[in-house]
Amino acid sequence: MNNKYILSQKSLNQLMIGTFIIITLMLMISIYVMNTNINAEQNAEQHRIIFKNLGITLANTSDYLTDEARKYATTQNDIHMKNYWQEIEHTKTRDKVIHELESQPSTFKEQQLLANAKQYSDNLVETEKLSMRLIQEYKGVPVSEMPEQIAMVKLSPEDALLSREEKLKKAIYILFDEHYDKSKYNIMQPIADFQEQMNTRLDKELYHAQHNLQNAFILQVSIAIVIIASIYGLIYLQATTLTKPIKHYINSLQDKSLKRKIYIKPEGTLELHLLATAFNSLYDTFIHELERRKQAEYNMKKAKEAAEKANNIKSQFLANMSHEIRTPLNTILGYHYLLQNNVSQDLILEQKYIHNIGLAAQNLLELVNSILDFSKIEAGHMTLEHISFDFHKLISDICMMIKIQCDNKHLEFHEKISPNIPKYILGDPLRLKQILLNLLTNAIKFTSKGYVCLLIQEEYHNDIKYIKFAVQDTGIGIDKTTQAKLFKAFTQADASTSRQYGGTGLGLAISQRLVNLMGGNININSEVSKGSCFYFSLKEEIAYPSIEKKPHSTKSLKSIKFNNQRILIVEDSAINREMSKTILDKMSLTVYTAGNGKEALTLAKTQKFSLILLDIRMPLMDGYETAKKIRQIPNYQNIPIIALSADVTKETKTKIKQFNINDFLEKPLNIPKLITLLNKYLNNKTDKAPIINNFIISNINKSKSILNVEQALSRINNDYSLYLKIIQLFIQHHKKDIDILSNILKEKSYHQKLYHIVHTLKGDSANIGASDLYLASIDLLNILSINNNTKTINYKLTDYIILLRKCLYECNNYLIKNQPSISNQSQTNNSLKDIDYLKELYILINNGDFDSKQYFIDNQQKLTHLLNAEEYSIIQESLMLYDFSKAIEILKNKIGGDSHV
């Protein structure tokens, strides 16, 4: 069949669209005609109702005005006159009705009727105004006091000569005579005539609208018949040109095997003809595509094998990493077992064990750090510093460490640094050191004899100066195949490399990525059995050292004055509370303390504080909830609240802002930062925060100790007496924790109490400078929060108890060595006033007076010098527990028995 006689899909669509457009237009026209006539009918009926209502309203208004005018004439009550003028001048119902009638479409004759009605209405008002003027005359109201509308009415000479009674009679008469009634009739009759004429005209309009509506209905019925016929024709046309051919195509494709040829006879529209022809053509090439599919499957198989190979490399990395981790762990666990079971008490041997444990732990830490660094780089979270640093000092420190490693393997180490390299440059010293150490330690690892060399020199590219770093060795070397994949993660020369030399295959990958971040690239020259050379270049950025100004003077805490402003410390740790209170007391602040959020709320409701220091982690009610409830107390919406926490993550700093907390202070407490915040929020007009000097108390034990005294003193402005007091409080509050923790370990009941004790110890250990205990507390808290493995907790808690015992032991020794006891000789040298402190305390305790506790607290600074550490601690504990017998015995010996009292 010739294609020009076949109906195309486009033509069919155009026919259907044209038909629907015509139908739509016919429907729109019929709807428009129908709506027009319906609206005309409704408008005519609506106008009839409007005219009727307006006539009724006008009649009612006229009657209302007549009634008020007559009531005023007969009663002379001014309220009726006011009502009358309220309607005339303000409500204006009559004017509105007439205006509404005038606005309606009407003939000239109808408009004339309205004008006559309005004229009669105005005349009637004049009659009523005259009546009101006569009433005013009757009542003797002066013209100046009459309402303006009435005062303007002019009386005829005859009316003016009437007597008061005659004026009253005439005022009543003119409102009730026939002339007045006729005037009212003359108002309503034109309105009635107007309505009658309008109704006649509207009846004609209504008739025409109804007649047109019938015609519109007939038109819609005709259009409906045309629409039905058109739709039927379109359906028939679609069935013959689309539905039937498509069904034929489907039947032709059913039950056909790919091995048998398929042919579809073209039918229907032009597009269906083309579809059938195209299908028949494509089917002929389909078999050929099957071969291509097989080839694609083969390629996918190859890709899968490559992926499995890559996965095997990662699996090998995991195996290597497992081996690397287990090696130091086995060392640590083995020596830990030897320490536990060493009955010889050989301290030298134990020190060796501890040294080996430290080395193994350091190796493990470096391994974990490498994995974390690689994860950061892969995630795009690694950021580099861009600061000024002493380049030559950095290289000197690196060479010093590398020389030691080379000496241990009997290798020579050479360093060749160009004198043209500037002393100070800009960059990231930590990451540069990491890269160089990685390359150098790798060189040492794979070199058994010969030398390792660090070469640093300048070079130029496009007039830009670079610093070139090169690490050479005489080690095992690397073949060309391995060099191509050397900087990929998890990759070493082969599996035997990991077994023989150790490592995870991450070192060079991390170094390469760090150098890339710095704008360079690591390259390699190597030959098997002859050594290797790794080198890279970084752009030189010269920096100039900053001159640090040394402080000329040091301010003490007592020089900071805050005019006795009230501060609230909310802290669950008693040691932290006492330490913070002592520090703030020296700044002329009135300090209140609360052990939890509930106590803080109670104090806030009864006291007015200028600032609140709030611990974030507390039992019962945490700092966030406490801050939220404090803000709800009247007058506390804008009081500064400073959060205290050892958690310095970004999430914590964001969260405190959500709870309307003003600022953040890291724990353990840093005095300069504390003073800076106090100056900021208390509007202190004193000098800036004191500069902490580097003075170190002479009797501090500088040898390696569990207590880092210098660090602790730096946080409290080198207040040595306060530090001794904090040590005493630490012993007092935590000496029973060993027994409690031992019972928990024995019962394996790792409940909230364990978490609370360790959390408290974390903060208190930082305050006394017990860094090992502080880090161990963090470690144990992390395990308790994420690990349910009882065996792991057992190991950690056992070590933790041992460390706590050592810490308490060293605290006691420190107090004994550094806090002088009160010998008998010193007692005799004390002034009578000093002895009186002990006597007064003895009397209060001996009498069972509960004020003894407060007396002890108020005079604790003096008592610290009169009692040794053990005596002070025993008396303090006795008072806290109200067990006075031990305190009485000690004080009795101090003051010489009852005879001295």
Side-chain angles (χ1 to χ4, degrees):
M1 183 183 294
N2 196 329
N3 287 342
K4 68 179 182 179
Y5 297 112
I6 301 174
L7 181 65
S8 68
Q9 183 66 46
K10 180 179 179 181
S11 301
L12 179 62
N13 291 339
Q14 290 176 346
L15 177 62
M16 294 176 67
I17 292 171
T19 303
F20 278 112
I21 290 174
I22 294 171
I23 291 173
T24 303
L25 289 175
M26 293 173 67
L27 283 174
M28 291 175 63
I29 293 171
S30 65
I31 291 171
Y32 172 76
V33 173
M34 181 70 73
N35 287 338
T36 301
N37 288 283
I38 290 174
N39 290 335
E41 183 181 14
Q42 290 176 345
N43 290 336
E45 188 63 31
Q46 187 177 8
H47 288 160
R48 187 200 303 274
I49 296 171
I50 290 173
F51 294 147
K52 180 179 179 180
N53 291 337
L54 289 175
I56 294 171
T57 301
L58 185 61
N60 291 338
T61 302
S62 178
D63 292 341
Y64 173 78
L65 292 174
T66 299
D67 289 343
E68 290 299 322
R70 288 176 174 176
K71 287 177 182 178
Y72 180 65
T74 55
T75 64
Q76 295 88 51
N77 190 339
D78 289 342
I79 188 66
H80 298 296
M81 181 180 66
K82 291 179 180 179
N83 292 341
Y84 179 89
W85 288 111
Q86 177 69 25
E87 171 61 31
I88 290 292
E89 295 186 342
H90 297 287
T91 307
K92 299 182 178 180
T93 304
R94 180 196 64 156
D95 295 340
K96 292 177 181 178
V97 170
I98 293 176
H99 177 73
E100 181 68 22
L101 291 172
E102 288 176 342
S103 64
Q104 299 298 325
S106 57
T107 62
F108 174 77
K109 184 176 181 180
E110 291 168 347
Q111 292 293 333
Q112 188 64 40
L113 291 172
L114 288 176
N116 294 338
K118 185 175 181 181
Q119 180 63 43
Y120 283 116
S121 177
D122 291 340
N123 294 339
L124 194 63
V125 169
E126 291 299 323
T127 301
E128 290 163 349
K129 285 167 65 176
L130 175 62
S131 173
M132 290 180 186
R133 174 61 187 264
L134 291 172
I135 297 299
Q136 290 285 299
E137 293 283 343
Y138 166 75
K139 293 176 70 175
V141 178
V143 175
S144 61
E145 295 181 8
M146 291 181 185
E148 183 179 355
Q149 302 86 341
I150 297 175
M152 293 175 61
V153 176
K154 301 297 183 180
L155 295 178
S156 64
E158 296 82 3
D159 291 341
L161 295 176
L162 295 175
S163 65
R164 288 179 64 250
E165 294 299 330
E166 288 174 338
K167 289 178 179 178
L168 175 62
K169 288 180 181 180
K170 184 169 183 179
I172 295 172
Y173 175 76
I174 62 177
L175 293 179
F176 288 91
D177 64 356
E178 294 179 357
H179 178 74
Y180 184 85
D181 290 338
K182 187 176 180 180
S183 295
K184 282 183 64 68
Y185 173 79
N186 289 335
I187 294 173
M188 299 309 300
Q189 186 59 41
I191 296 297
D193 294 341
F194 174 82
Q195 286 183 318
E196 183 178 354
Q197 291 187 20
M198 289 291 288
N199 287 337
T200 301
R201 181 158 54 84
L202 290 174
D203 286 340
K204 293 180 180 179
E205 293 178 0
L206 183 60
Y207 172 77
H208 288 296
Q210 290 174 347
H211 179 72
N212 293 335
L213 193 61
Q214 290 177 355
N215 294 334
F217 176 75
I218 294 171
L219 176 62
Q220 282 191 329
V221 171
S222 302
I223 291 174
I225 294 171
V226 173
I227 290 172
I228 293 172
S230 299
I231 292 174
Y232 177 79
L234 290 175
I235 292 173
Y236 176 79
L237 184 61
Q238 186 177 28
T240 56
T241 58
L242 288 177
T243 307
K244 184 178 177 181
I246 290 174
K247 187 176 180 181
H248 166 71
Y249 289 178
I250 293 173
N251 292 334
S252 299
L253 292 172
Q254 285 179 343
D255 300 327
K256 297 293 183 181
S257 171
L258 291 177
K259 296 180 180 180
R260 297 174 57 187
K261 183 174 177 62
I262 299 174
Y263 176 76
I264 299 178
K265 181 182 178 181
E267 292 183 7
T269 63
L270 177 62
E271 287 77 9
L272 289 177
H273 276 71
L274 294 175
L275 177 63
T277 304
F279 176 83
N280 294 331
S281 176
L282 289 173
Y283 181 78
D284 292 335
T285 61
F286 180 71
I287 301 301
H288 301 290
E289 293 298 324
L290 287 178
E291 294 298 327
R292 296 186 184 183
R293 181 184 181 88
K294 291 179 181 180
Q295 183 63 37
E297 289 178 353
Y298 175 78
N299 294 337
M300 289 177 63
K301 183 179 179 181
K302 284 291 185 181
K304 181 182 178 183
E305 290 174 356
E308 289 175 349
K309 184 177 180 180
N311 191 48
N312 289 335
I313 293 175
K314 288 196 176 183
S315 299
Q316 185 178 345
F317 159 74
L318 292 174
N320 293 340
M321 187 177 67
S322 174
H323 172 76
E324 292 295 321
I325 292 176
R326 286 175 181 273
T327 300
L329 278 179
N330 286 334
T331 303
I332 293 169
L333 293 174
Y335 281 115
H336 178 263
Y337 173 80
L338 292 174
L339 284 172
Q340 281 187 319
N341 296 275
N342 183 21
V343 295
S344 66
Q345 302 298 322
D346 188 344
L347 293 179
I348 295 177
L349 187 59
E350 287 185 358
Q351 289 176 353
K352 182 179 179 181
Y353 291 167
I354 292 171
H355 175 73
N356 291 339
I357 289 174
L359 289 177
Q362 184 64 33
N363 291 335
L364 184 60
L365 179 61
E366 290 178 0
L367 173 64
V368 173
N369 284 340
S370 294
I371 296 171
L372 290 177
D373 280 347
F374 183 77
S375 299
K376 284 183 180 179
I377 295 172
E378 288 292 288
H381 294 162
M382 177 67 74
T383 56
L384 299 180
E385 287 188 315
H386 196 69
I387 60 174
S388 171
F389 66 95
D390 189 335
F391 178 77
H392 289 271
K393 183 178 183 305
L394 176 72
I395 300 302
S396 176
D397 293 341
I398 293 172
C399 292
M400 186 180 300
M401 289 185 284
I402 295 303
K403 283 178 182 177
I404 295 172
Q405 296 182 39
C406 287
D407 290 344
N408 291 336
K409 290 192 69 174
H410 305 291
L411 299 173
E412 297 180 18
F413 177 69
H414 307 293
E415 52 179 302
K416 300 177 182 179
I417 304 177
S418 171
N420 297 327
I421 305 295
K423 181 175 177 60
Y424 292 96
I425 65 172
L426 290 173
D428 190 327
L430 178 64
R431 296 304 177 186
L432 179 59
K433 183 177 182 180
Q434 180 181 356
I435 295 166
L436 292 176
L437 284 176
N438 209 334
L439 296 177
L440 287 165
T441 53
N442 261 2
I444 294 171
K445 182 193 299 185
F446 295 105
T447 304
S448 58
K449 62 180 180 179
Y451 68 87
V452 171
C453 177
L454 173 62
L455 176 66
I456 303 176
Q457 60 188 19
E458 73 278 4
E459 63 180 12
Y460 290 86
H461 297 288
N462 299 326
D463 296 330
I464 299 175
K465 188 176 181 181
Y466 291 83
I467 301 176
K468 181 179 180 180
F469 301 84
V471 176
Q472 298 175 342
D473 64 66
T474 56
I476 62 175
I478 305 170
D479 60 69
K480 296 294 182 181
T481 304
T482 305
Q483 290 179 27
K485 58 182 180 179
L486 195 59
F487 296 104
K488 294 182 180 180
F490 323 119
T491 302
Q492 288 185 323
D494 53 45
S496 62
T497 303
S498 177
R499 289 194 294 272
Q500 182 177 354
Y501 297 99
T504 62
L506 284 176
L508 288 176
I510 292 172
S511 298
Q512 177 69 290
R513 284 162 173 78
L514 288 175
V515 171
N516 292 157
L517 288 174
M518 294 178 180
N521 187 57
I522 297 180
N523 298 291
I524 179 175
N525 290 325
S526 182
E527 188 175 346
V528 177
S529 301
K530 292 187 179 181
S532 304
C533 178
F534 289 86
Y535 60 94
F536 63 93
S537 298
L538 299 177
K539 184 180 178 181
E540 178 184 288
E541 295 186 70
I542 301 176
Y544 299 95
S546 58
I547 302 175
E548 297 180 0
K549 295 183 179 179
K550 295 184 178 180
H552 298 290
S553 63
T554 301
K555 298 179 184 291
S556 67
L557 293 178
K558 293 181 180 179
S559 68
I560 308 299
K561 303 295 182 183
F562 287 98
N563 302 323
N564 294 318
Q565 296 188 64
R566 294 186 178 187
I567 284 186
L568 174 62
I569 302 173
V570 189
E571 167 71 70
D572 62 323
S573 169
I575 294 178
N576 283 343
R577 287 200 305 273
E578 187 64 29
M579 180 191 72
S580 302
K581 183 178 186 303
T582 304
I583 292 171
L584 294 171
D585 281 340
K586 294 184 179 182
M587 300 181 194
S588 297
L589 288 164
T590 302
V591 184
Y592 290 74
T593 63
N596 54 58
K598 291 185 178 180
E599 291 180 11
L601 291 174
T602 302
L603 284 171
K605 291 176 182 177
T606 57
Q607 302 288 339
K608 178 65 175 179
F609 296 108
S610 301
L611 183 141
I612 298 174
L613 295 173
L614 178 62
D615 187 19
I616 293 299
R617 291 226 179 170
M618 295 186 296
L620 301 179
M621 182 189 297
D622 65 15
Y624 299 117
E625 185 65 21
T626 303
K628 180 180 178 182
K629 293 190 176 181
I630 286 176
R631 291 301 187 199
Q632 296 172 357
I633 300 174
N635 301 324
Y636 272 89
Q637 288 78 12
N638 298 315
I639 296 299
I641 299 177
I642 299 176
L644 301 174
S645 178
D647 185 2
V648 294
T649 61
K650 182 179 179 181
E651 290 74 14
T652 301
K653 294 180 179 179
T654 302
K655 190 173 181 180
I656 66 172
K657 293 179 181 179
Q658 296 173 353
F659 282 85
N660 202 12
I661 297 175
N662 299 79
D663 224 314
F664 184 93
L665 191 59
E666 182 182 350
K667 290 168 64 177
L669 205 61
N670 183 293
I671 303 302
K673 289 183 180 180
L674 171 63
I675 295 174
T676 299
L677 290 177
L678 292 177
N679 279 319
K680 178 180 178 181
Y681 292 106
L682 293 181
N683 298 319
N684 180 33
K685 296 182 180 180
T686 62
D687 295 335
K688 292 183 179 180
I691 303 171
I692 307 300
N693 62 14
N694 294 322
F695 173 74
I696 302 174
I697 298 175
S698 59
N699 59 351
I700 294 177
N701 183 9
K702 294 184 180 179
S703 62
K704 186 176 180 181
S705 170
I706 288 179
L707 297 179
N708 189 337
V709 181
E710 292 183 24
Q711 183 187 69
L713 284 170
S714 68
R715 295 195 185 101
I716 57 174
N717 208 28
N718 292 323
D719 192 331
Y720 190 62
S721 61
L722 175 59
Y723 180 66
L724 293 176
K725 184 177 178 181
I726 294 172
I727 291 287
Q728 291 171 341
L729 289 171
F730 183 86
I731 295 171
Q732 173 196 341
H733 286 279
H734 296 298
K735 63 184 180 181
K736 295 183 179 180
D737 286 350
I738 293 177
D739 294 334
I740 297 173
L741 294 175
S742 298
N743 290 332
I744 291 174
L745 178 62
K746 182 178 179 181
E747 297 171 2
K748 294 183 175 58
S749 56
Y750 306 126
H751 44 68
Q752 189 65 27
K753 185 175 183 181
L754 171 60
Y755 189 92
H756 176 66
I757 291 174
V758 178
H759 174 72
T760 305
L761 277 167
K762 183 186 74 170
D764 293 349
S765 60
N767 290 328
I768 65 172
S771 302
D772 291 342
L773 184 60
Y774 173 75
L775 295 174
S777 300
I778 294 175
D779 187 30
L780 185 54
L781 288 172
N782 290 335
I783 291 174
L784 290 173
S785 62
I786 65 175
N787 197 330
N788 294 323
N789 190 323
T790 304
K791 187 176 180 180
T792 303
I793 299 176
N794 284 347
Y795 280 127
K796 288 293 182 181
L797 185 54
T798 301
D799 294 341
Y800 190 78
I801 293 172
I802 294 171
L803 184 58
L804 177 58
R805 182 180 283 110
K806 290 181 180 179
C807 185
L808 288 170
Y809 176 79
E810 184 150 341
C811 286
N812 275 312
N813 286 345
Y814 188 84
L815 284 179
I816 293 171
K817 291 178 182 178
N818 296 282
Q819 180 173 293
S821 62
I822 308 298
S823 63
N824 292 333
Q825 181 65 33
S826 64
Q827 287 184 31
T828 59
N829 293 334
N830 283 339
S831 66
L832 181 62
K833 185 176 180 181
D834 291 341
I835 293 295
D836 286 344
Y837 281 104
L838 297 176
K839 288 182 178 181
E840 182 66 25
L841 180 61
Y842 173 81
I843 293 171
L844 290 171
I845 295 177
N846 194 44
N847 293 334
D849 194 334
F850 288 98
D851 289 338
S852 58
K853 178 179 177 181
Q854 189 60 44
Y855 182 85
F856 180 84
I857 294 173
D858 293 340
N859 298 283
Q860 54 188 343
Q861 186 172 1
K862 193 69 177 177
L863 294 171
T864 301
H865 298 290
L866 296 173
L867 301 167
N868 62 37
E870 184 178 3
E871 292 168 342
Y872 184 93
S873 179
I874 292 173
I875 293 176
Q876 186 179 41
E877 183 178 2
S878 299
L879 293 176
M880 297 301 150
L881 300 176
Y882 297 102
D883 180 13
F884 296 153
S885 58
K886 294 181 181 179
I888 291 173
E889 183 179 350
I890 292 174
L891 290 172
K892 187 183 291 184
N893 294 331
K894 282 290 184 183
I895 62 179
D898 293 335
S899 61
H900 292 78
V901 181

